[in-house]
Amino acid sequence: LEATPVNAQQDDYIQTANRSAKHLLSLLNDILDASALEAGKMTLKPESTFLPALVTDVHALMRPVALEKRLVLNVRQDPALPRWVMADGTRVKQIMLNLVSNALKFSEQGTVLLEVWPMEPEPGAPATAARIGIRVTDEGMGMSAAVLAKLFQRFEQGDASSVRRHGGSGLGLEISRNLARRMDGDIEASSVEGKGSVFTATLCLPLSTPPTEQTS
């Protein structure tokens, strides 16, 4: 239908249907992921993954969302970031997408910044693994201490007016934190009401080599 000749009003209906379908799909995916985690059925499928490409993909996917809201989305990749790691790329990208999507959702102006960098290894950590930091900073509405305290609980999204305005399942952060912990990491948040929030994820990912080198 979208590819056929339509007038402006019909095109608006089509775009509304598209957005609604994507929103519903997102909610269903969150519910399925939460159910899989609860049943212990969610498994990671690590493979040799080009880490910088995941960051680039997130930027490409989220940039139109930022433009639609007239926000600035900046991405900073540290040049020292490991290039190849053993990771479930889909799940690593899911964590980044969730954090960036939330930052854009709860911002009405300003800049959202995604930073990815190599962190100092923890004492005793194997030299064959890299500790990766992922930080998303926004200048949005921020959160009170009370909201922040229950942020990673299932179905928690802040106050009722925020839920009505922005939608969502209240599952994304819980799922993302569970995924990060399965990668020997975690997610933490800090926020100042009215000034913005900072979410920091840490992941511990084994270093790898390009697939062609692995098979040679």
Side-chain angles (χ1 to χ4, degrees):
L1 178 61
E2 193 172 20
T4 62
V6 292
N7 61 38
Q9 186 179 41
Q10 291 169 324
D11 183 64
D12 183 58
Y13 292 157
I14 293 168
Q15 298 310 316
T16 299
N18 273 334
R19 286 193 297 270
S20 299
K22 288 175 182 176
H23 181 62
L24 178 59
L25 182 61
S26 174
L27 294 177
L28 288 172
N29 283 335
D30 280 351
I31 292 167
L32 290 171
D33 279 349
S35 298
L37 282 167
E38 194 170 73
K41 299 294 185 182
M42 180 179 283
T43 57
L44 299 178
K45 299 175 182 177
E47 59 183 6
S48 190
T49 301
F50 189 58
L51 189 54
L54 298 184
V55 183
T56 302
D57 286 350
V58 170
H59 189 201
L61 286 166
M62 290 288 99
R63 188 169 177 271
V65 180
L67 289 173
E68 187 175 352
K69 293 194 68 177
R70 298 183 180 179
L71 299 168
V72 177
L73 174 60
N74 288 331
V75 175
R76 291 180 191 162
Q77 284 193 64
D78 192 303
L81 190 70
R83 296 172 72 76
W84 290 94
V85 293
M86 284 297 293
D88 187 328
T90 298
R91 296 306 185 181
V92 174
K93 193 157 64 172
Q94 182 178 353
I95 292 170
M96 288 192 280
L97 283 170
N98 185 271
L99 296 182
V100 173
S101 175
N102 277 353
L104 294 172
K105 184 190 298 182
F106 294 105
S107 297
E108 298 301 329
Q109 61 183 10
T111 298
V112 171
L113 173 62
L114 167 64
E115 300 170 276
V116 187
W117 76 99
M119 303 179 76
E120 287 293 325
E122 293 183 334
T128 55
R131 195 161 166 252
I132 306 299
I134 300 167
R135 182 166 56 223
V136 176
T137 307
D138 68 62
E139 300 172 340
M141 60 193 296
M143 293 170 280
S144 67
V147 170
L148 196 60
K150 59 182 182 178
L151 190 62
F152 290 95
Q153 296 175 20
R154 185 168 296 189
F155 301 119
E156 292 292 347
Q157 296 173 273
D159 59 67
S161 63
S162 171
V163 174
R164 285 194 299 270
R165 203 162 57 244
H166 300 289
S169 64
L171 293 169
L173 285 175
E174 184 208 11
I175 292 167
S176 295
R177 175 179 264 186
N178 271 290
L179 288 172
R181 288 177 173 176
R182 285 171 179 250
M183 299 178 206
D184 297 320
D186 207 346
I187 299 180
E188 297 178 345
S190 62
S191 186
V192 177
E193 198 167 6
K195 293 188 177 180
S197 305
V198 179
F199 285 81
T200 304
T202 56
L203 309 176
C204 189
L205 304 173
L207 296 170
S208 181
T209 53
T212 52
E213 292 183 18
Q214 289 182 327
T215 56
S216 61

